[in-house]
Amino acid sequence: MFWSAGVAMFCGSLAVGQHGSQIGDPADVFGPVRAAPALDPLQLEVKLDDRLAGAIDAGRLVSRCDADLGDLPVLFAEAVDLRPTILLPRAVLDDLYARALASLSEGDPWRPGHPASWFRLTCADVAAARSLRDRLRATDGVEECDFVYLPFVQSVPVAAHDPDDLPPPTADFDPMQRCRLPAPVGLGFDAVRGLVGGQGEGMRVFQSEVDWVIDHEDLGAITTASFVGAPSDGQNPASDHGTGVLGILAAGDNGFGVTGLVHRAELRISSWNSHGSVAGSILACAGEAESGDVLLLISAFDLAMTKPRDFVPAEYFRINFDAVRIATSLGITVVEAATNGDNDLDDPRFGGLFDRSVRDSGAILVGASDGELPVRADFSNYGSRCDISAWGDQLIALGFGTLFYPGNDRLQAYTERFAGTSAASSVIAAVVTIMQGVSRRQNGRTLSPAELRTMLHTGATQTAGAIGLRPDLVPILERELGLPDGLEIDSWQAAPGESIGLDLTGAPGSAAGLVLSNALVSIDLGLNRDLHVDPGFLIHLDTLGLVDGTARYTSTLPNDPSISGATVFLQAVLLGAGQAARLTNSVSLHVR
């Protein structure tokens, strides 16, 4: 048999009698529950000590480094089905884990376990599952063993693949997307859209959920090639939810429906079902992502410890925590919904799992406000672990059909009432995508997940209810990234025949050469930043004197309908005044 390289990293002496914490039946720990937890009573999730290097070969548990497994192979053989929890190839998991450990210090208190050390056992009946669980918990080398809890997506209730607008015509709902407005009502999206990077240019965003309707008329850029792993079929009851989240990010800028907040980013989508588990979906994304990419994690788990709908974030469970920790250690920014359980995550019943002094996955945990009001939505979880918040109601999104639903056509369904921490998390995913995209493009620097999480608080709007502050993109970019830096555009879009205006700043007495191109590049000229306008398609618009350090450029777009849909990019070079030449930031203009 072939074992991938790297086995020795995970094999070593095994301490006898050392067991990790067990979650167990809620009733075992917390007394009688008021509702059934959402779990599969026939399936067990088992974490073995990494030093055993456990693997499944021909339906049997074996050790990849010939460690003594004791009674574990016999116990595992009682299951009617046995498989690794994470379905990715072992070589992929070894590589992810090795790179994650290499990025963490030796004394890091939150080093994850190896994802290949988790196994899923299916038992013949409930009694057999409970008996096997109890015996595995008492067996050396078993760190965790519990029933498999089932993930949910949570839509706060609302009433019940062509890139072109399907008949009948769909109105433009984008002006209704008020989270784009300036703070304190909105998060400042409109104010930064003109900066190149401010609409997601050059960024890649992964969404881990369960299903989507990718043929929706407003998702022309999303195809089966957008999936990480096997495509889902759009038939899951939760597909409207995934479509709503995806639309907030990626809906097309096409004059109808709604425009995604980072519609120029590349969106990749990963279904839990295709990867066998939420953790598998996270790691599948991590395997294709690069440092600086964004991963939006939408999933909730119902513990039913003390009430129905007792939802907690995915990272409550160690398998998901470790997967997130691996992703963030690789430089992937994970944005995670705090979920809709109306729970205080600082409650002692959660055992400190949401206390950063106990453990920290590195994810950005997002609470939900009551729409534009900076107060906690009554469904949102809350507590010190909530890093940040955003609108959790009244978002314009695809799906559901409460705003537009002609002929009950789900490909033209829109809602004005998308809500929940999922909605809030999609907004925050857009915020960090813009922060990273602008930093990469304008400053040539990729920000770490920790830097992004801290920067979100700069100039943020205060909120009530321990859901986290509401970020404001304008002070974040100004104070943390020094942008804009020399060039501002009045509006990121204009119609044929309308006027446009740009403000330039620099050293008094210098001159600014303003240029335009229809193509975006990054060319290192040895100056303070890259040239972003393609010199092969360059148009020199004007040279302006900055007598007092400022200048204003205005022009009128040709009144020609044929230019609608075009996007151009502008940048200026600053010369003179006894200073070295430097380039301003770049901006974009979309012709409606």
Side-chain angles (χ1 to χ4, degrees), residues 227-316:
F227 282 89
V228 178
S232 60
D233 61 9
Q235 300 305 309
N236 189 287
S239 60
D240 260 6
H241 184 280
T243 307
V245 169
L246 186 57
I248 288 175
L249 295 167
D253 182 11
N254 46 31
F256 65 86
V258 65
T259 299
L261 297 173
V262 287
H263 63 95
R264 290 182 179 167
E266 177 190 356
L267 266 292
R268 302 292 308 279
I269 48 182
S270 173
S271 174
W272 316 324
N273 289 344
S274 298
H275 299 287
S277 64
V278 170
S281 175
I282 295 168
L283 292 171
C285 292
E288 297 201 13
E290 298 177 351
S291 177
D293 289 348
V294 176
L295 169 57
L296 174 57
L297 175 57
I298 305 292
S299 62
F301 292 80
D302 186 0
L303 301 182
M305 288 179 179
T306 60
K307 61 183 179 181
R309 298 181 60 81
D310 192 18
F311 290 109
V312 293
E315 67 175 56
Y316 175 85

Side-chain angles (χ1 to χ4, degrees), residues 477-495:
L477 300 192
E478 287 180 351
R479 301 179 202 172
E480 299 290 349
L481 302 180
L483 295 165
D485 179 26
L487 184 61
E488 295 185 63
I489 191 167
D490 289 349
S491 175
W492 66 280
Q493 60 178 350

Side-chain angles (χ1 to χ4, degrees), residues 2 39 55 80 115 122 142 150 153 167 199 222 229 238 247 249 267 273 278 286 337 378 380 399 483 496 503 563:
F2 171 75
L39 54 77
V80 297
T122 302
V142 175
L150 305 175
V153 294
Q199 297 176 63
I222 307 299
L249 295 167
L267 266 292
N273 289 344
V278 170
D378 59 8
S380 178
L483 295 165
D503 291 307
I563 67 173

